Amino acid sequence: MASSSSSSPPPRRSVFDAAYIRAEFDGAGISPHFIPLIWKYVLQNPRCGDLDGVPSLPAAAYALLRNKFRPTTSTLTAAAESKDRTTTKLLIRLQNGESVEAVVMRYDTRLGKYDGKPRPGGVRSTLCVSSQVGCKMGCRFCATGTMGFKSNLSSGEIVEQLVHASRYSQIRNVVFMGMGEPLNNYTAVVEAIHVLTGPPFQLSPKRITVSTIMPAARAFPLGKLMNALQSYQNESKQTIFIEYIMLDGVNDQEQHAHQLGKLLETFKAVVNLIPFNPIGSSSNFKTSSDQSVKKFQKVLRGVYSIRTTVRQEMGQDIAGACGQLVVSLPDERSAGGATLLSDIEDLRI
Protein backbone atom coordinates (compact mmCIF):
# COMPACT_ATOMS: atom_id res chain seq x y z
CA MET A 1 0.00 0.00 0.00
CA ALA A 2 1.56 3.28 -1.08
CA SER A 3 1.72 6.08 1.38
CA SER A 4 1.92 9.74 0.58
CA SER A 5 3.56 12.39 2.66
CA SER A 6 2.49 15.99 2.72
CA SER A 7 4.64 18.90 3.81
CA SER A 8 3.38 20.97 6.70
CA PRO A 9 2.14 24.46 5.85
CA PRO A 10 4.55 27.36 6.49
CA PRO A 11 4.26 28.94 9.94
CA ARG A 12 1.92 31.87 10.18
CA ARG A 13 3.63 35.25 10.20
CA SER A 14 3.46 38.06 12.72
CA VAL A 15 0.72 40.52 11.90
CA PHE A 16 3.38 43.19 12.54
CA ASP A 17 5.56 41.98 9.64
CA ALA A 18 4.56 45.08 7.70
CA ALA A 19 5.87 44.30 4.22
CA TYR A 20 4.39 40.79 4.29
CA ILE A 21 0.90 41.77 5.46
CA ARG A 22 0.76 44.67 3.00
CA ALA A 23 1.71 42.35 0.15
CA GLU A 24 -0.93 39.81 1.20
CA PHE A 25 -3.62 42.47 1.52
CA ASP A 26 -2.67 43.93 -1.86
CA GLY A 27 -2.81 40.50 -3.49
CA ALA A 28 -6.29 39.93 -2.03
CA GLY A 29 -7.54 43.35 -3.09
CA ILE A 30 -7.92 44.55 0.53
CA SER A 31 -7.11 48.16 1.36
CA PRO A 32 -3.91 48.58 3.45
CA HIS A 33 -5.73 51.23 5.48
CA PHE A 34 -7.16 48.40 7.60
CA ILE A 35 -3.72 47.28 8.78
CA PRO A 36 -3.24 49.96 11.52
CA LEU A 37 -6.67 48.98 12.91
CA ILE A 38 -5.43 45.41 13.29
CA TRP A 39 -2.23 46.57 14.98
CA LYS A 40 -4.23 48.79 17.34
CA TYR A 41 -6.43 45.86 18.34
CA VAL A 42 -3.43 43.65 19.17
CA LEU A 43 -1.72 46.47 21.07
CA GLN A 44 -4.84 46.97 23.18
CA ASN A 45 -5.38 43.20 23.56
CA PRO A 46 -1.85 41.74 23.84
CA ARG A 47 -3.13 38.37 25.08
CA CYS A 48 -5.63 37.85 22.26
CA GLY A 49 -5.33 34.42 20.69
CA ASP A 50 -6.81 35.30 17.30
CA LEU A 51 -7.81 38.26 15.17
CA ASP A 52 -11.51 37.55 14.83
CA GLY A 53 -12.29 40.32 17.31
CA VAL A 54 -10.80 43.10 15.18
CA PRO A 55 -13.78 45.33 14.35
CA SER A 56 -14.97 46.52 10.94
CA LEU A 57 -12.80 44.49 8.57
CA PRO A 58 -13.92 43.09 5.21
CA ALA A 59 -14.84 39.40 5.33
CA ALA A 60 -11.91 38.55 3.06
CA ALA A 61 -9.52 40.10 5.59
CA TYR A 62 -10.67 37.83 8.41
CA ALA A 63 -10.13 34.74 6.28
CA LEU A 64 -6.67 35.90 5.24
CA LEU A 65 -5.67 36.70 8.81
CA ARG A 66 -6.81 33.27 10.05
CA ASN A 67 -4.79 31.44 7.40
CA LYS A 68 -1.55 33.40 7.31
CA PHE A 69 -1.10 35.52 10.45
CA ARG A 70 -0.94 35.41 14.22
CA PRO A 71 -1.50 38.37 16.58
CA THR A 72 2.02 37.77 17.87
CA THR A 73 4.45 35.01 16.97
CA SER A 74 6.54 35.50 20.12
CA THR A 75 5.67 34.72 23.72
CA LEU A 76 6.60 36.56 26.90
CA THR A 77 7.97 33.71 29.00
CA ALA A 78 9.48 35.51 32.02
CA ALA A 79 10.07 38.92 33.54
CA ALA A 80 12.54 40.06 36.20
CA GLU A 81 12.08 43.26 38.19
CA SER A 82 15.08 45.16 39.56
CA LYS A 83 15.21 45.73 43.29
CA ASP A 84 14.59 49.46 42.86
CA ARG A 85 11.66 48.72 40.49
CA THR A 86 13.03 51.07 37.80
CA THR A 87 13.87 48.24 35.40
CA THR A 88 12.03 45.18 34.07
CA LYS A 89 13.85 42.64 31.89
CA LEU A 90 11.65 40.57 29.59
CA LEU A 91 12.54 37.13 28.23
CA ILE A 92 10.74 36.61 24.93
CA ARG A 93 10.55 33.28 23.12
CA LEU A 94 10.42 33.45 19.34
CA GLN A 95 8.52 31.18 16.98
CA ASN A 96 11.77 29.43 15.95
CA GLY A 97 12.45 28.43 19.58
CA GLU A 98 15.18 30.99 20.20
CA SER A 99 14.84 33.71 22.84
CA VAL A 100 15.74 37.39 23.11
CA GLU A 101 15.63 39.94 25.89
CA ALA A 102 14.13 43.41 26.04
CA VAL A 103 14.38 45.88 28.91
CA VAL A 104 11.85 48.43 30.17
CA MET A 105 13.52 51.36 31.95
CA ARG A 106 11.50 53.90 33.92
CA TYR A 107 12.78 57.45 34.29
CA ASP A 108 11.76 60.72 35.86
CA THR A 109 12.41 63.53 33.37
CA ARG A 110 12.19 66.11 36.16
CA LEU A 111 15.55 64.90 37.49
CA GLY A 112 17.35 65.96 34.32
CA LYS A 113 18.37 69.51 33.42
CA TYR A 114 18.49 71.45 30.17
CA ASP A 115 20.30 74.78 29.94
CA GLY A 116 20.73 74.58 33.71
CA LYS A 117 17.01 74.37 34.37
CA PRO A 118 14.96 71.39 35.63
CA ARG A 119 13.03 69.58 32.91
CA PRO A 120 9.23 69.48 32.96
CA GLY A 121 7.36 66.20 32.78
CA GLY A 122 7.37 63.18 35.05
CA VAL A 123 7.83 59.43 35.10
CA ARG A 124 7.83 57.64 31.74
CA SER A 125 9.48 54.63 30.15
CA THR A 126 12.06 53.70 27.53
CA LEU A 127 12.20 50.25 25.90
CA CYS A 128 15.53 48.72 24.91
CA VAL A 129 14.87 46.27 22.07
CA SER A 130 16.89 43.49 20.46
CA SER A 131 17.37 43.16 16.70
CA GLN A 132 19.15 39.77 16.53
CA VAL A 133 19.49 36.55 18.49
CA GLY A 134 23.14 36.81 19.50
CA CYS A 135 25.55 38.98 17.52
CA LYS A 136 28.31 38.60 14.93
CA MET A 137 30.46 41.42 16.26
CA GLY A 138 31.98 39.50 19.17
CA CYS A 139 32.80 42.55 21.30
CA ARG A 140 34.66 41.36 24.40
CA PHE A 141 32.93 43.92 26.63
CA CYS A 142 29.43 42.70 25.73
CA ALA A 143 27.74 39.56 27.02
CA THR A 144 25.64 39.15 23.88
CA GLY A 145 28.83 38.67 21.88
CA THR A 146 29.60 35.48 23.81
CA MET A 147 26.49 33.85 22.27
CA GLY A 148 27.71 34.13 18.72
CA PHE A 149 25.20 34.90 15.98
CA LYS A 150 22.08 32.74 15.71
CA SER A 151 19.44 34.57 13.67
CA ASN A 152 17.99 37.90 12.61
CA LEU A 153 14.66 39.05 13.99
CA SER A 154 11.87 39.90 11.58
CA SER A 155 10.44 43.40 11.72
CA GLY A 156 7.36 41.91 13.39
CA GLU A 157 9.44 40.26 16.11
CA ILE A 158 11.09 43.61 16.82
CA VAL A 159 7.75 45.42 17.07
CA GLU A 160 6.28 42.63 19.22
CA GLN A 161 8.80 43.49 21.94
CA LEU A 162 6.97 46.80 22.37
CA VAL A 163 3.61 44.99 22.41
CA HIS A 164 4.83 42.76 25.26
CA ALA A 165 6.44 45.69 27.11
CA SER A 166 3.21 47.70 26.94
CA ARG A 167 1.74 45.28 29.48
CA TYR A 168 4.17 46.73 32.02
CA SER A 169 4.47 50.37 31.11
CA GLN A 170 3.47 52.97 28.54
CA ILE A 171 6.51 53.25 26.26
CA ARG A 172 7.60 56.69 25.13
CA ASN A 173 11.10 56.03 23.76
CA VAL A 174 12.65 53.04 21.99
CA VAL A 175 16.38 52.37 21.83
CA PHE A 176 17.99 49.68 19.67
CA MET A 177 20.60 48.85 22.29
CA GLY A 178 19.61 45.29 23.11
CA MET A 179 20.94 42.06 21.60
CA GLY A 180 22.48 42.28 18.15
CA GLU A 181 23.99 44.87 15.82
CA PRO A 182 21.04 46.73 14.28
CA LEU A 183 22.71 47.56 10.98
CA ASN A 184 23.50 43.88 10.42
CA ASN A 185 19.71 43.46 10.22
CA TYR A 186 19.13 46.71 8.37
CA THR A 187 15.97 45.97 6.37
CA ALA A 188 14.00 44.59 9.33
CA VAL A 189 15.14 47.39 11.66
CA VAL A 190 14.14 50.13 9.20
CA GLU A 191 10.78 48.47 8.58
CA ALA A 192 10.15 48.15 12.33
CA ILE A 193 10.94 51.84 12.81
CA HIS A 194 8.45 52.77 10.10
CA VAL A 195 5.79 50.77 11.94
CA LEU A 196 6.65 52.31 15.32
CA THR A 197 6.48 55.86 13.96
CA GLY A 198 3.09 55.31 12.32
CA PRO A 199 -0.38 54.53 13.69
CA PRO A 200 -1.23 53.20 16.22
CA PHE A 201 2.18 53.51 17.95
CA GLN A 202 2.94 57.07 16.77
CA LEU A 203 6.37 57.29 18.38
CA SER A 204 8.30 60.41 17.43
CA PRO A 205 11.34 59.65 15.25
CA LYS A 206 13.34 61.80 17.68
CA ARG A 207 12.48 59.30 20.43
CA ILE A 208 13.92 56.30 18.60
CA THR A 209 17.67 55.71 18.90
CA VAL A 210 19.57 53.16 16.80
CA SER A 211 22.86 52.43 18.55
CA THR A 212 25.52 51.36 16.01
CA ILE A 213 28.26 50.42 14.85
CA MET A 214 30.88 48.40 16.64
CA PRO A 215 33.09 48.37 13.54
CA ALA A 216 35.79 45.88 12.71
CA ALA A 217 38.77 48.21 12.39
CA ARG A 218 40.11 46.61 9.19
CA ALA A 219 36.79 46.94 7.38
CA PHE A 220 35.86 50.32 8.89
CA PRO A 221 39.05 52.14 9.93
CA LEU A 222 38.55 55.13 12.20
CA GLY A 223 39.40 57.68 9.51
CA LYS A 224 36.79 56.23 7.17
CA LEU A 225 34.20 56.22 9.95
CA MET A 226 34.89 59.86 10.86
CA ASN A 227 34.61 60.88 7.20
CA ALA A 228 31.23 59.16 7.05
CA LEU A 229 30.08 61.01 10.18
CA GLN A 230 31.29 64.33 8.75
CA SER A 231 29.41 63.71 5.51
CA TYR A 232 26.27 62.81 7.46
CA GLN A 233 26.49 65.94 9.60
CA ASN A 234 27.15 68.21 6.62
CA GLU A 235 24.09 66.78 4.87
CA SER A 236 21.66 66.47 7.79
CA LYS A 237 22.83 69.33 10.07
CA GLN A 238 22.07 66.95 12.95
CA THR A 239 24.06 66.61 16.17
CA ILE A 240 25.94 63.31 16.38
CA PHE A 241 25.48 61.18 19.50
CA ILE A 242 28.70 59.37 20.47
CA GLU A 243 28.63 56.49 22.95
CA TYR A 244 31.98 55.76 24.60
CA ILE A 245 32.35 52.68 26.77
CA MET A 246 34.89 53.20 29.57
CA LEU A 247 37.19 50.31 30.46
CA ASP A 248 39.37 50.64 33.55
CA GLY A 249 43.02 51.19 32.61
CA VAL A 250 42.32 50.66 28.91
CA ASN A 251 40.71 53.83 27.55
CA ASP A 252 39.60 55.86 30.57
CA GLN A 253 42.66 58.01 31.31
CA GLU A 254 43.05 61.74 30.69
CA GLN A 255 45.20 61.21 27.59
CA HIS A 256 42.37 59.17 26.11
CA ALA A 257 39.96 62.02 26.82
CA HIS A 258 42.26 64.38 24.92
CA GLN A 259 42.47 61.94 22.02
CA LEU A 260 38.68 61.72 21.86
CA GLY A 261 38.31 65.49 22.21
CA LYS A 262 40.68 66.15 19.30
CA LEU A 263 38.89 63.55 17.20
CA LEU A 264 35.53 65.25 17.74
CA GLU A 265 36.49 68.92 17.95
CA THR A 266 35.28 69.66 14.39
CA PHE A 267 31.90 68.03 15.04
CA LYS A 268 28.73 69.17 16.73
CA ALA A 269 28.45 66.20 19.06
CA VAL A 270 27.18 64.92 22.39
CA VAL A 271 29.31 62.28 24.12
CA ASN A 272 27.69 59.75 26.44
CA LEU A 273 30.22 58.00 28.68
CA ILE A 274 29.19 54.42 29.51
CA PRO A 275 31.00 52.79 32.43
CA PHE A 276 31.58 49.11 31.67
CA ASN A 277 29.05 46.73 33.23
CA PRO A 278 30.44 43.44 34.59
CA ILE A 279 29.58 40.38 32.48
CA GLY A 280 31.10 37.65 34.64
CA SER A 281 34.00 35.42 33.69
CA SER A 282 33.52 36.01 29.95
CA SER A 283 35.51 39.25 30.13
CA ASN A 284 38.61 40.49 31.95
CA PHE A 285 37.61 44.14 31.73
CA LYS A 286 36.84 46.16 34.85
CA THR A 287 34.60 49.13 35.55
CA SER A 288 36.20 52.58 35.56
CA SER A 289 36.20 54.40 38.88
CA ASP A 290 33.85 57.33 39.40
CA GLN A 291 36.91 59.55 39.71
CA SER A 292 38.24 58.48 36.31
CA VAL A 293 34.86 59.05 34.70
CA LYS A 294 34.56 62.55 36.20
CA LYS A 295 38.08 63.51 35.11
CA PHE A 296 37.37 62.24 31.60
CA GLN A 297 34.14 64.21 31.45
CA LYS A 298 35.89 67.34 32.77
CA VAL A 299 38.49 67.23 29.98
CA LEU A 300 35.89 66.90 27.23
CA ARG A 301 33.73 69.64 28.68
CA GLY A 302 36.40 72.05 29.84
CA VAL A 303 39.09 71.75 27.17
CA TYR A 304 37.02 70.89 24.09
CA SER A 305 33.59 72.33 25.01
CA ILE A 306 31.92 69.03 24.10
CA ARG A 307 28.63 68.34 25.83
CA THR A 308 29.32 65.18 27.82
CA THR A 309 26.96 63.06 29.90
CA VAL A 310 27.45 59.89 31.94
CA ARG A 311 25.12 56.93 31.41
CA GLN A 312 23.16 56.20 34.58
CA GLU A 313 23.07 52.42 34.49
CA MET A 314 19.92 50.59 35.46
CA GLY A 315 19.11 46.94 36.01
CA GLN A 316 22.56 45.60 36.90
CA ASP A 317 21.04 43.39 39.58
CA ILE A 318 18.98 41.59 36.92
CA ALA A 319 21.75 41.66 34.27
CA GLY A 320 19.67 44.13 32.31
CA ALA A 321 22.19 46.96 32.00
CA CYS A 322 24.06 47.97 28.85
CA GLY A 323 26.12 45.06 27.50
CA GLN A 324 24.65 42.45 29.87
CA LEU A 325 21.91 40.89 27.74
CA VAL A 326 22.63 37.21 27.11
CA VAL A 327 19.27 35.41 27.52
CA SER A 328 19.36 34.72 31.24
CA LEU A 329 17.18 35.72 34.15
CA PRO A 330 18.86 35.82 37.57
CA ASP A 331 17.44 33.97 40.55
CA GLU A 332 19.00 36.37 43.03
CA ARG A 333 19.06 40.12 42.99
CA SER A 334 21.49 42.47 44.66
CA ALA A 335 20.32 45.43 46.68
CA GLY A 336 19.70 48.67 44.84
CA GLY A 337 18.56 52.20 45.49
CA ALA A 338 14.94 53.23 45.08
CA THR A 339 15.36 56.38 43.01
CA LEU A 340 14.25 57.09 39.48
CA LEU A 341 16.87 58.43 37.09
CA SER A 342 16.91 61.04 34.38
CA ASP A 343 17.03 59.57 30.88
CA ILE A 344 19.91 59.93 28.44
CA GLU A 345 17.49 59.17 25.62
CA ASP A 346 15.53 62.32 26.51
CA LEU A 347 18.47 64.61 25.72
CA ARG A 348 17.71 67.39 23.29
CA ILE A 349 20.64 67.18 20.93
Side-chain angles (χ1 to χ4, degrees):
M1 186 180 199
S3 62
S4 62
S5 61
S6 59
S7 59
S8 58
R12 288 183 292 165
R13 298 283 291 265
S14 169
V15 77
F16 293 102
D17 278 330
Y20 187 75
I21 191 171
R22 288 190 184 111
E24 290 293 328
F25 270 43
D26 183 62
I30 304 169
S31 170
H33 293 103
F34 291 108
I35 295 173
L37 298 177
I38 300 168
W39 292 343
K40 182 179 180 180
Y41 176 82
V42 178
L43 185 62
Q44 293 176 341
N45 303 274
R47 294 182 178 87
C48 64
D50 57 54
L51 297 163
D52 291 342
V54 182
S56 306
L57 297 182
Y62 291 109
L64 181 61
L65 291 172
R66 286 190 205 102
N67 290 332
K68 295 198 173 183
F69 294 95
R70 295 174 59 188
T72 57
T73 57
S74 60
T75 306
L76 179 60
T77 56
E81 194 87 16
S82 64
K83 195 78 170 182
D84 60 11
R85 302 188 67 79
T86 63
T87 308
T88 305
K89 184 167 73 167
L90 310 178
L91 182 64
I92 298 169
R93 185 176 179 83
L94 307 177
Q95 189 166 226
N96 65 2
E98 299 286 357
S99 293
V100 294
E101 293 179 335
V103 181
V104 179
M105 299 166 286
R106 301 170 189 87
Y107 301 91
D108 190 340
T109 57
R110 295 165 297 187
L111 299 179
K113 290 186 177 182
Y114 184 68
D115 286 340
K117 300 176 182 178
R119 289 184 178 277
V123 179
R124 53 104 186 103
S125 298
T126 289
L127 176 65
C128 177
V129 299
S130 294
S131 56
Q132 297 177 309
V133 181
C135 185
K136 294 178 180 178
M137 304 309 292
C139 301
R140 290 186 296 134
F141 49 78
C142 178
T144 306
T146 65
M147 297 174 59
F149 173 73
K150 297 187 177 181
S151 63
N152 283 323
L153 270 63
S154 71
S155 62
E157 290 170 332
I158 295 172
V159 174
E160 284 179 17
Q161 293 173 66
L162 188 146
V163 176
H164 295 307
S166 296
R167 291 161 56 175
Y168 292 85
S169 190
Q170 183 174 352
I171 304 300
R172 184 184 175 213
N173 291 20
V174 170
V175 295
F176 284 78
M177 298 182 184
M179 297 168 61
E181 162 52 49
L183 290 197
N184 279 348
N185 190 16
Y186 182 82
T187 300
V189 166
V190 171
E191 186 174 282
I193 291 172
H194 283 312
V195 173
L196 294 176
T197 53
F201 300 99
Q202 300 286 33
L203 294 180
S204 167
K206 292 184 178 180
R207 291 178 178 164
I208 297 178
T209 300
V210 179
S211 180
T212 189
I213 288 175
M214 299 298 181
R218 282 179 291 184
F220 301 98
L222 188 58
K224 187 176 181 180
L225 179 61
M226 301 313 291
N227 289 339
L229 292 179
Q230 191 69 70
S231 298
Y232 168 78
Q233 187 157 80
N234 292 343
E235 182 73 22
S236 68
K237 310 303 180 187
Q238 296 291 317
T239 300
I240 294 176
F241 188 54
I242 302 290
E243 295 168 311
Y244 187 91
I245 186 166
M246 301 194 68
L247 306 170
D248 181 45
V250 177
N251 66 347
D252 65 344
Q253 302 304 301
E254 287 189 49
Q255 70 262 28
H256 301 123
H258 285 289
Q259 289 174 349
L260 181 60
K262 290 173 183 175
L263 187 68
L264 298 176
E265 59 186 352
T266 62
F267 291 88
K268 182 183 178 184
V270 172
V271 174
N272 183 219
L273 303 178
I274 307 176
F276 170 71
N277 289 304
I279 57 174
S281 59
S282 59
S283 175
N284 294 323
F285 293 123
K286 296 180 180 179
T287 305
S288 298
S289 67
D290 289 343
Q291 184 179 15
S292 294
V293 174
K294 288 177 182 177
K295 284 183 178 180
F296 201 102
Q297 182 184 37
K298 186 176 181 180
V299 170
L300 292 178
R301 282 180 168 177
V303 179
Y304 300 96
S305 300
I306 296 174
R307 187 178 177 198
T308 308
T309 59
V310 179
R311 175 73 57 87
Q312 300 294 321
E313 295 301 346
M314 303 170 68
Q316 278 197 6
D317 58 328
I318 54 170
C322 184
Q324 292 185 320
L325 301 189
V326 71
V327 186
S328 63
L329 285 171
D331 295 323
E332 296 181 2
R333 304 168 185 171
S334 60
T339 56
L340 288 171
L341 302 171
S342 56
D343 182 10
I344 186 61
E345 304 313 325
D346 205 37
L347 282 173
R348 295 182 186 177
I349 60 173

